[in-house]
Amino acid sequence: MDRILITGALGQLGTEFIKHFKKLNVFVLATDIKLPKYKLQCEFEQADSLDKTRINELVKKHDINIIYHLVAILSASGEKDPFKSWKLNMNSFQNIAEISVENNIKKVFWPSSMAVFGTESKLDLVIQNPLMNPSTIYGITKLVGEKLMEYYFNRFRLDIRSLRYPGIVSVETAPGGGTTDYIIDMINAAKKGIDYTCFLDENTELPMMYIDDAINSAITLMAAKKSNLSILGSYNITGFSITPKKLLNEIKSNGFNLKVNYEPDFRQKIADSWPKKIDDSSSKKDWGWNPEFGLKETIIEALK
Ligand code: AKB
């Protein structure tokens, strides 16, 4: 029987994982540094992932055997305080790795990001193993985490699985502090009938995926036979690629009359160092990744 701990559970991915596991009647202990604003459909304990003793106690108390470690400061917020970002992203990762080894945790899911790539990665279509020169502290922490995943598997047989997520489009819980957040901000502005000022240039192409695909891909990867996984680090994954201009056209074609101004800020440089498209053929081959939501379906769902 799976008994799952989710850290950073009140964020964009965590809230959807909770709903998913609730439907399956699987035990979940959600933890977050904040308190929930509404009653969760699972157990909840307020806990800081930097507090290893506390997380370790919770793992033992609730007999946890699987961990979804979702805590992270994203790309744009990370640049405002890189030292804090390194500390949270790396020390919490290390805590979860140590706790997992000490408690014989069966599997860990830990999201990586397309932020691990950089200008040397041939950004028109980024392959699974290109040169990597991440430009943000967030991307650097994700790349270090990927290397540690491989090391901990070889050293301790610790089974951490991971996906390099593109921007994730969700309606219920927005992300916060990401460079891809414009897509949700623009959709929300259209729904509210207000103008939107986009912080990226209209022709900036970035990969995205719908939240349901983000959840299902993680679940499918976690269920895959380890012997089928040829990659010990994180897998490339994508849904579709889009520019702000294309998004605006799509929103308009769904009957919304949105006005957008473009005022690129520091996030433009981050976006310029990220892929336009991602080759996720290894995910398709190794564990059967098959996205359900393309560009049109995603925008229709998000505009509902
Ligand atoms: C961000 O924009 O920082 C994230 C990501 C691509 O990892 N959405």
Side-chain angles (χ1 to χ4, degrees), residues 74-75 113-114 138 165-167 178-180 274:
L74 299 185
S75 56
S113 161
M114 65 172 171
Y138 170 65
Y165 282 124
T179 304
T180 56
W274 285 0

